[in-house]
Amino acid sequence: MDDLAGLLGLDGNGEVPSGRIIQIYEVACRQFAQRGFDGVSMRDIAAECGISKATLYHYFPDKDSILRPLAMGATKSIYLHVARHDDATLPAVDRLRRFIVETATFFEAFRWAWIAGSTAFWSDPEARARKERVAWRDRYEQLLRDILQAGIDSGELKIGDVKIAGRLVLGTINWMPRWYNPAGPLKAPEIAGQFCNLLLDGLRAAPPAKAVRQRKKAVE
Amino acid sequence: MDDLAGLLGLDGNGEVPSGRIIQIYEVACRQFAQRGFDGVSMRDIAAECGISKATLYHYFPDKDSILRPLAMGATKSIYLHVARHDDATLPAVDRLRRFIVETATFFEAFRWAWIAGSTAFWSDPEARARKERVAWRDRYEQLLRDILQAGIDSGELKIGDVKIAGRLVLGTINWMPRWYNPAGPLKAPEIAGQFCNLLLDGLRAAPPAKAVRQRKKAVE
DNA sequence: GGCAACCAACCGATCGGTCGGTATGGATGA
DNA sequence: TCATCCATACCGACCGATCGGTTGGTTGCC
């Protein structure tokens, strides 16, 4: 189960979230992820929850306020999760591995919320919420770039452009939800670990110097 | 300009495509990419084209038949494009570079169609069209895996799992449309070239043997 | 005359959202 | 003890707006 309550921050404070509210979040989250925000009607959500549409509006003022906490929670929690597991005293290579693997761990736990948030990013009409979400996303991406820069400074990594390298890493991670099969033989963190190995050491077999020359000629 | 006519296969046959049809494709394509298929109404498209909604239905029988050729064309053409530029007699490393760079070249030319197709993949109600599109997508991904396998066989590449490595490469490419800025200093093929360098040689600075030992200890 | 291009007006369906009302169960006060 | 009260949880029926799509035309050019 997803433990969406944790992602939404509903379990920490004094409020006791109704089980119905959690159910609505879970149902809506999966439907948004699978068919998109516009592709899901309030009637759809109500039907799968086994309640009437009017009851849905007893718990939520409008459709946006179902998606918003999910999208915000996913974006904010992913940063808090990787930041909690980061340790700036470790070698940058290990920090990078943790960043990648912990992102996958998080994504596996909150797959639907992640997808729903990333596909419906553009539709929130409330500017403040949109801005806050972008800020958390920026923190997440900045942490990765900080790790890469630390690796350059320590001599562990050899990177021309930190921004480009960051895009490379983020692309591999962010594309995972599109094809990842939870029922497959490899769990997300294992795949992420292999990604990290490939990213660090490259696809190329260690070439003798003359092979490099030959390659350069062939490109021309 | 996009030259959507080429992507749609409208210029090769005897038919003379009306300029209006091209205009509708261009407008719809960009709107679908920016706001999603469900987020765009036929009224929106008609308004930006400067025609009435009824006239839209003079050229297209329904909404799906505007998106379908765009999505199909993007998926089919990307494969044909990279396959045309592939040369199985070249070293696998060069073939891989061409695959990545030519994908970026194509994506830069048909950015909106690419995005519209990849986001609206799931909504086509016509099973035959969906199946055909998946088939072209599979050919595209299989070509990449073939190149990787050729590199393993020739000793150029050192890859444990071709599927995983393929996902890695595809992720970096497919995520590009999400952040790529056409007005930025680097064009898509240049970025793709840098991606290829990083993918081939890795982020890690060539480590002395003892540094590798140290790293392994730190992971534990 | 015939046909491509175009449009205002309209259709049934569905959208997000509202309204008035009901069943229930626990606290309150005489 | 029992009537009252109130908040919570729920629902059927409805609203105006908008959706994809249709109809019955009117132009203007060959």
Side-chain angles (χ1 to χ4, degrees), chain B residues 40-43 53 57 62-63:
Chain B
V40 175
S41 75
M42 294 296 266
R43 286 165 178 84
K53 186 163 65 77
Y57 281 94
D62 51 40
K63 194 182 178 186

Side-chain angles (χ1 to χ4, degrees), chain A residues 31-90:
Chain A
Q31 292 200 10
F32 287 154
Q34 290 174 329
R35 304 204 305 278
F37 184 73
D38 289 329
V40 175
S41 74
M42 294 296 265
R43 287 165 177 83
D44 294 333
I45 299 170
E48 190 176 328
C49 290
I51 60 177
S52 75
K53 186 164 64 78
T55 301
L56 214 49
Y57 281 93
H58 174 69
Y59 293 101
F60 294 89
D62 52 39
K63 194 182 177 185
D64 281 315
S65 60
I66 304 180
L67 173 64
R68 191 173 302 130
L70 289 168
M72 183 71 75
T75 309
K76 177 178 172 180
S77 298
I78 180 67
Y79 167 72
L80 295 177
H81 182 83
V82 295
R84 184 162 10 100
H85 285 80
D86 185 41
D87 178 352
T89 66
L90 289 179

Side-chain angles (χ1 to χ4, degrees), chain A residues 186 194 198, chain B residues 148 152 159-166:
Chain A
L186 287 179
Q194 294 197 33
L198 292 170
Chain B
L148 294 176
I152 296 174
I159 295 169
D161 185 332
V162 169
K163 266 191 186 171
I164 296 282

Side-chain angles (χ1 to χ4, degrees), chain A residues 106 116 127 136:
Chain A
F106 182 91
W136 285 111

Side-chain angles (χ1 to χ4, degrees), chain A residues 161-184:
Chain A
D161 186 331
V162 170
K163 264 191 187 172
I164 296 282
R167 300 284 193 195
L168 182 81
V169 175
L170 290 173
T172 66
I173 298 176
N174 288 333
W175 196 250
M176 271 189 76
R178 295 292 195 104
W179 53 266
Y180 175 64
N181 174 17

